[in-house]
Amino acid sequence: MNKQELFAALESLGMRPGRGLGQNFLLDNNLLECIVRSAGVVRGMNILEVGPGFGALTSLMLDAGANVCAIEFDRRLAGYLRSTLGGRSNFHLVEGDACKVALDGLLPMPFHAVANLPYAVSSVFIARLLELPEPPASCFFMLQKEMAQRLAAVPGTGNYGALSVRAQLVYDLTLERVVPPEVFFPPPEVESALLRGTLKEQRPPREVRERTAKAAKVAFNQRRKKIVNSLGPLYGADNVRAALETMGLAADIRPERLTADQFIILAGELEKNNGAADAPEK
Ligand code: SAM
């Protein structure tokens, strides 16, 4: 979709792009094609797209033969999509809020997620994907650059935090490229980036992910503090010291030094020892 086509489509609906809904439409056809290629979209693939807008990305994925299920919140855009793409047998539109629509069972398995996400809801939506019993086999998202950096951050860097740990329990993540504001209309006030996520073959079960995410969240609440000080009040300082020792980690280690896998072990040790402390005496 070029600028003239977008303007004509906006005019036909008598609408202006809304900031609250993150309506920054992609204008660069080369970039759109690059997204479809890089996401590995092929015939028969099941794709979940959030925020199809005027269908610029959607129609390329449909042309590639993918089955696309797209969730669009804006009624006017949903109406536009029904009239332009509604006749295509591989297109399925869900009119609603991607933060609320039931995702489980929405698409046949396996499915993949490809989208130029509305930035305001990207963290909530990604959190929902991470919580699914069967998350998408891969994700390819346009995101606010800072969000992509946080998700893909490696230990020891300033962007690494609880969100990185939580996402990296489920996905191997890479920031593919930074995208300037000019390729969108209207241009967003921030830079964007393309993020690739590949589902890990070995994923911890849900309860392990939950307890690990909880420990990481508490540890990173005070990221400059040593782990023993941030986790001590919740799990007991002796318990934290013992867990770190079992793992061969320094007693004064800070959270940004631990990988997602180390957080899994740490949370498991903490729970094990907490459980032992809580157990009734025989
Ligand atoms: N895919 C189109 C493109 O690349 O040009 C539009 C992307 S635009 C960044 C974000 C789209 O998400 C808009 O169409 C907007 O109406 C839609 N949107 C915003 N919030 C949403 C939500 N909570 N659920 C579903 N769609 C939403």
Side-chain angles (χ1 to χ4, degrees):
M1 184 170 257
N2 61 35
K3 206 168 189 171
Q4 271 177 342
E5 290 164 337
L6 176 66
F7 281 13
L10 285 165
E11 203 177 307
S12 73
L13 298 180
M15 74 176 268
R16 279 201 205 157
R19 215 190 242 212
L21 288 180
Q23 290 178 333
N24 305 102
F25 300 98
L26 263 174
L27 287 177
D28 185 326
N29 281 325
N30 289 333
L31 182 58
L32 284 160
E33 279 163 17
C34 167
I35 292 173
V36 175
R37 225 179 16 254
S38 307
V41 177
V42 288
R43 184 164 300 282
M45 205 164 161
N46 301 312
I47 309 261
L48 173 65
E49 184 188 5
V50 166
F54 287 100
L57 180 58
T58 323
S59 52
L60 288 180
M61 297 196 284
L62 293 172
D63 291 347
N67 304 311
V68 181
C69 174
I71 308 174
E72 176 56 60
F73 184 75
D74 188 315
R75 281 181 160 209
R76 299 162 297 181
L77 293 173
Y80 179 92
L81 289 164
R82 268 192 289 271
S83 66
T84 51
L85 300 178
R88 301 183 70 160
S89 60
N90 50 344
F91 178 62
H92 179 66
L93 178 68
V94 176
E95 189 178 327
D97 181 349
C99 299
K100 294 190 181 144
V101 167
L103 299 175
D104 206 7
L106 193 59
L107 290 103
M109 302 297 296
F111 75 96
H112 304 258
V114 182
N116 169 20
L117 285 174
Y119 295 166
V121 301
S122 55
S123 64
V124 175
F125 175 70
I126 290 173
R128 292 194 77 206
L129 291 183
L130 295 174
E131 281 160 17
L132 284 174
E134 289 296 332
S138 71
C139 298
F140 201 81
F141 290 144
M142 179 78 79
L143 293 165
Q144 185 169 342
K145 185 179 89 178
E146 285 71 20
M147 170 68 75
Q149 285 174 325
R150 284 168 57 207
L151 285 160
V154 295
T157 61
N159 287 316
Y160 187 68
L163 180 68
S164 331
V165 172
R166 192 164 165 208
Q168 291 171 25
L169 294 172
V170 183
Y171 285 99
D172 292 318
L173 293 159
T174 46
L175 192 156
E176 295 277 307
R177 69 189 257 197
V178 173
V179 177
E182 301 83 63
V183 299
F184 302 88
F185 181 83
E189 281 163 13
V190 292
E191 280 189 306
S192 304
L194 287 166
L195 179 86
R196 179 193 300 281
T198 310
L199 194 61
K200 285 184 186 257
E201 275 182 29
Q202 303 292 328
R203 295 186 303 284
R206 192 174 180 159
E207 64 275 13
V208 173
R209 298 202 307 254
E210 281 171 4
R211 74 171 179 227
T212 306
K214 179 179 162 194
K217 189 172 175 206
V218 176
F220 279 104
N221 265 345
Q222 296 157 300
R223 61 178 299 131
R224 303 308 317 153
K225 273 197 173 180
K226 296 168 189 166
I227 278 188
V228 69
N229 293 331
S230 53
L231 294 184
L234 183 63
Y235 299 95
D238 286 346
N239 185 3
V240 181
R241 269 187 221 102
L244 292 174
E245 195 179 328
T246 305
M247 293 173 68
L249 296 172
D252 62 353
I253 198 159
R254 293 177 206 277
E256 70 261 25
R257 294 283 151 206
L258 266 66
T259 62
D261 285 342
Q262 286 174 315
F263 264 108
I264 294 176
I265 302 171
L266 177 66
E269 287 292 321
L270 293 174
E271 187 177 278
K272 197 165 75 188
N273 297 341
N274 250 2
D278 294 344
E281 280 183 33
K282 290 208 175 139

